[in-house]
Amino acid sequence: GKMRRLARIRLTLGATKLWMAALAFLAAQAAAVRQSGSSRHLRALATTGQPAPQAKVAILGGGSFGTCMALLLARKGHRVDMLVRSEEVCTSINTDRVNPRHLSEFTLPDAVHATTDPEAALGDAAYICHAVPVQFSRAVLGELAPHIRPEVPILSLSKGIETGTLCLMCDLLREAVGEEHPMAFLSGPAFAREIAMEQATAVVIASHQTRVAREFADLCSSDVFRCWQSSDVVGVEIGGAVKNVIAIAAGMCEGLGLGTNAMAALVTRGCSETRRLALAMGASPTTISGLSGVGDTFGTCFGPLSRNRKVGVRLGKGESLEDIIASSNEVAEGVATSLSVVELIRKNDRSYRVDLKFPILFGVSEILQGQRTPREGLLDLMTMPLRIED
């Protein structure tokens, strides 16, 4: 009996030593990650399903969404470098802890640093968040590509369709950094100001690489910011782009004083048009029913913070598009997207009278080009041929 007890004690001590060694190893690995910010270590830990430890994150762009993501990530303990063009903005962020042009009422944590030097921001970054408007992304990515290491994952926060090429952000990123580069795309009902205020928000992150989507979800998620994951990159991108056009239409409804019935009908039929385009491009209808489709559309059409909705309201009240754009200091992506989305529809749907399948998207484009007024567009919608709802 005594020998058995001694054997058990030895086994217990041996197991304890193994546990202590394992814990010491994990502690050393975590310390190495914190010290180096290596994306290789971060990805290895992300595959365990645990939140990534402190990382160096580079954010491209100093607009509203780039700033709110800097706040979000810094509050989680990550180090953030914002790559901006303006020396004034850079100095203000580093000295006064405030972005003077966007979300200036929020104090940025000490973990947020700004720079105008691409190498300083990107040279040792473990992750990159791209927050540059779509229409400027090609030029910016062309300049920065030599500084982006091939193993560093990129999360696109931009929504829209590039004018002329009809490229989505997934196309632009592939052309800039290569087909094999790890990348993901965030979309959903996420207003920058509400994220900065730490109000509950849910988004979806899509990637063809499941591991990359999970890694960014771990990086960004908190008790006020929930990240779902998807593999339907095209569906997530289409939902995030087209909702801005529908928001302009919804704003015009309000500007014309048409009431809740008209608004609800227009937004619902707009979602149907988004679904048709997504299906024509090989996306899943489930994605359009989710956060990046219906969710983002609802938030943008009914929420008071939407830039695109505000453009529509002012158009409905009789202002010209030129005056609206001239008086705004933020980009309403839906204006450029509305012109491109019609071309994208014609490219992917060869149906006869395709404009009858997408009357809202075609109508917004024609109004923005001055071919009809918002009230004429409404009358055309209400006098279309009667048919079965689809």
Side-chain angles (χ1 to χ4, degrees), residues 92 350 355:
S92 178
R350 302 291 184 177
D355 56 311

Coordinates of all heavy atoms in Angstrom, one line a residue, residues 92 350 355:
S92 N -2.1 66.2 -34.8 CA -3.2 66.3 -33.9 C -3.5 65.0 -33.2 O -3.7 65.0 -31.9 CB -4.5 66.8 -34.6 OG -5.6 66.9 -33.7
R350 N -28.4 39.5 -68.8 CA -28.7 39.8 -70.2 C -30.2 39.7 -70.6 O -30.5 39.6 -71.7 CB -27.9 38.7 -71.1 CG -26.4 38.7 -70.9 CD -25.8 40.0 -71.4 NE -24.3 39.9 -71.2 CZ -23.5 40.9 -71.7 NH1 -24.0 41.9 -72.3 NH2 -22.2 40.8 -71.5
D355 N -34.2 46.7 -67.1 CA -34.6 47.9 -66.3 C -35.9 47.6 -65.5 O -36.1 48.2 -64.5 CB -34.7 49.1 -67.1 CG -35.6 49.0 -68.3 OD1 -35.5 48.0 -69.0 OD2 -36.5 49.9 -68.4

